[in-house]
Amino acid sequence: MKIEFEHRQAAHCESGVTSNLLSISSGGKITEPLAFGIGAGLFFAYIPFIKVNNGPAIAFRTFPGYIFKRTAKSLGIPIVSKKFSSKEKAETYLKECLDNGNPVGCQVGVYYLPYFPREYRFHFNAHNLIVYGMDGDNYLVSDPIMESTNVMSSYELERVRFAKGALAPNGLIYYPKKGAIITDEVMKQAIKNGIKKNVYNMLSIPGSFAGISGIRNTGNKIKKWRDKLGIEISKLYLAQMVRMQEEIGTGGGGFRYIYGAFLQEADAYLPGNQLAEYSVMFTKTGDMWRNAAVHAAGIYKGRIGSQEDFNIMGDYLLEIAEVEKQAFETLKNIKWQ
């Protein structure tokens, strides 16, 4: 059993799955950058009391699942989303979906994915892929960050769908219902909604853990890590930041590049608003995040590690915060044509 499905490689798992699933309903209109932008995917959060792989939770994108849900809602596409307490019920429902011709998105843990290179396997449970068919006891899998499709046994798929730990997927399945018609007017409004939501998330969430305030607060904390935590834990925390930025999905810098691409594509739907021109600011912050990651790598690999090196690392984030603040305030002040 194989559903007619086009595997398209993407930069990030959830925006790639969203694009590939919604392209069925949209006639191919929903590219990965459009899915990411309409879903208000760009974010930052530093949550030290939540630990992931013994380090603080650091996010460069919105909470898992939000990109798909927001994009579908903005485009008027109804969706189905289910979690399960029973592995047997989860597999039965998956087979029913495939029997009905619905490829489905699944949230999984990456550690036991058989096609992942070993050096990329660690305990992270918010990866996304698509199951689009069966061949005997094997499932046909489209993982958008891979060049081609893969095959997983029923046991292998069950294992990653019910991975334990933080963000445990609990067999999550999601997919769009068929039949939605996406007009250019719907696209235009969805793009505006996505930009406005992302502006709010980066500029207006209260507190100092998220958005621009979160980046600035983290930069100031990094300057104190060496004295407060000691060099070894500080190195661990910086390694965690780089892992979350560069190795999980696309990462912080890469997400900024995707958002820049979103603004360029959005400009075709909403000309006269300078969106393509504003995209350059996000390309710049992508470069800045990548430069910060290189400096952090020098510290946690032991090539550098003085207090001045930690000060420089903190200043990288303070500078990024100012540039991203300017970028989002520019988007906030658009007088839509």
Side-chain angles (χ1 to χ4, degrees), residues 53-56 222 224-241 243 296-307 310:
N53 293 305
N54 299 315
I222 288 173
K224 301 175 183 177
W225 278 356
R226 194 177 190 276
D227 286 339
K228 184 177 181 179
L229 304 174
I231 187 66
E232 293 305 317
I233 294 179
S234 298
K235 287 162 66 174
L236 172 68
Y237 278 22
L238 284 175
Q240 170 78 336
M241 176 175 287
R243 181 187 297 118
I299 296 175
Y300 72 70
K301 290 183 177 181
R303 294 194 294 268
I304 54 178
S306 68
Q307 180 58 47
F310 278 85

Side-chain angles (χ1 to χ4, degrees), residues 132-176:
Y132 67 96
M134 289 191 71
D135 183 7
D137 190 47
N138 295 323
Y139 286 95
L140 308 180
V141 173
S142 167
D143 188 324
I145 69 169
M146 307 302 290
E147 186 175 356
S148 57
T149 57
N150 290 276
V151 176
M152 295 176 67
S153 70
S154 58
Y155 169 74
E156 290 170 334
L157 184 59
E158 177 186 280
R159 195 180 195 188
V160 296
R161 290 181 66 200
F162 285 89
K164 303 297 184 182
L167 302 174
N170 296 316
L172 175 64
I173 278 179
Y174 57 92
Y175 61 92

Side-chain angles (χ1 to χ4, degrees), residues 281-307:
M281 292 186 286
F282 291 93
T283 302
K284 179 181 179 180
T285 62
D287 292 340
M288 294 169 72
W289 277 112
R290 290 282 162 87
N291 290 336
V294 171
H295 187 80
I299 296 175
Y300 72 70
K301 290 183 177 181
R303 294 194 294 268
I304 54 178
S306 68
Q307 180 58 47

Side-chain angles (χ1 to χ4, degrees), residues 92-336:
T92 297
Y93 188 78
L94 172 59
K95 290 179 178 178
E96 289 176 357
C97 290
L98 297 176
D99 283 338
N100 292 329
N102 293 317
V104 298
C106 294
Q107 182 180 326
V108 301
V110 303
Y111 190 79
Y112 293 110
L113 283 175
Y115 54 84
F116 257 44
R118 291 194 177 276
E119 58 268 26
Y120 287 104
R121 295 188 193 181
F122 52 95
H123 293 288
F124 177 70
N125 293 330
H127 189 61
N128 292 267
L129 52 77
I130 294 171
V131 179
Y132 67 96
M134 289 191 71
D135 183 7
D137 190 47
N138 295 323
Y139 286 95
L140 308 180
V141 173
S142 167
D143 188 324
I145 69 169
M146 307 302 290
E147 186 175 356
S148 57
T149 57
N150 290 276
V151 176
M152 295 176 67
S153 70
S154 58
Y155 169 74
E156 290 170 334
L157 184 59
E158 177 186 280
R159 195 180 195 188
V160 296
R161 290 181 66 200
F162 285 89
K164 303 297 184 182
L167 302 174
N170 296 316
L172 175 64
I173 278 179
Y174 57 92
Y175 61 92
K177 293 183 178 180
K178 298 176 181 178
I181 298 175
I182 302 176
T183 64
D184 283 352
E185 288 304 313
V186 169
M187 284 289 291
K188 290 176 183 178
Q189 191 58 51
I191 289 168
K192 292 180 185 178
N193 291 344
I195 292 174
K196 291 176 181 177
K197 181 66 176 178
N198 228 146
V199 165
Y200 175 84
N201 288 347
M202 291 299 288
L203 295 179
S204 302
I205 290 180
S208 59
F209 76 97
I212 302 302
S213 296
I215 300 173
R216 188 181 296 116
N217 181 47
T218 305
N220 287 325
K221 284 184 177 297
I222 288 173
K223 295 182 180 185
K224 301 175 183 177
W225 278 356
R226 194 177 190 276
D227 286 339
K228 184 177 181 179
L229 304 174
I231 187 66
E232 293 305 317
I233 294 179
S234 298
K235 287 162 66 174
L236 172 68
Y237 278 22
L238 284 175
Q240 170 78 336
M241 176 175 287
V242 174
R243 181 187 297 118
M244 299 297 286
Q245 179 182 325
E246 299 299 333
E247 295 181 12
I248 294 179
T250 307
F255 287 137
R256 274 62 189 171
Y257 298 137
I258 295 176
Y259 201 80
F262 158 65
L263 293 177
Q264 290 178 4
E265 293 188 20
D267 190 72
Y269 288 94
L270 295 163
N273 295 288
Q274 298 179 279
L275 296 179
E277 179 181 332
Y278 298 154
S279 71
V280 176
M281 292 186 286
F282 291 93
T283 302
K284 179 181 179 180
T285 62
D287 292 340
M288 294 169 72
W289 277 112
R290 290 282 162 87
N291 290 336
V294 171
H295 187 80
I299 296 175
Y300 72 70
K301 290 183 177 181
R303 294 194 294 268
I304 54 178
S306 68
Q307 180 58 47
E308 179 60 23
D309 295 321
F310 278 85
N311 290 342
I312 292 171
M313 183 65 201
D315 286 338
Y316 267 120
L317 267 68
L318 295 179
E319 185 180 359
I320 289 168
E322 289 307 308
V323 176
E324 292 205 354
K325 179 182 178 183
Q326 179 184 355
F328 278 105
E329 285 183 341
T330 300
L331 295 180
K332 182 179 180 180
N333 292 327
I334 291 176
K335 306 299 181 183
W336 295 101

Side-chain angles (χ1 to χ4, degrees), residues 13-30:
C13 66
E14 188 181 344
S15 51
V17 165
T18 299
S19 172
N20 287 343
L21 285 178
L22 296 186
S23 68
I24 300 170
S25 300
S26 68
K29 287 183 178 180
I30 309 303

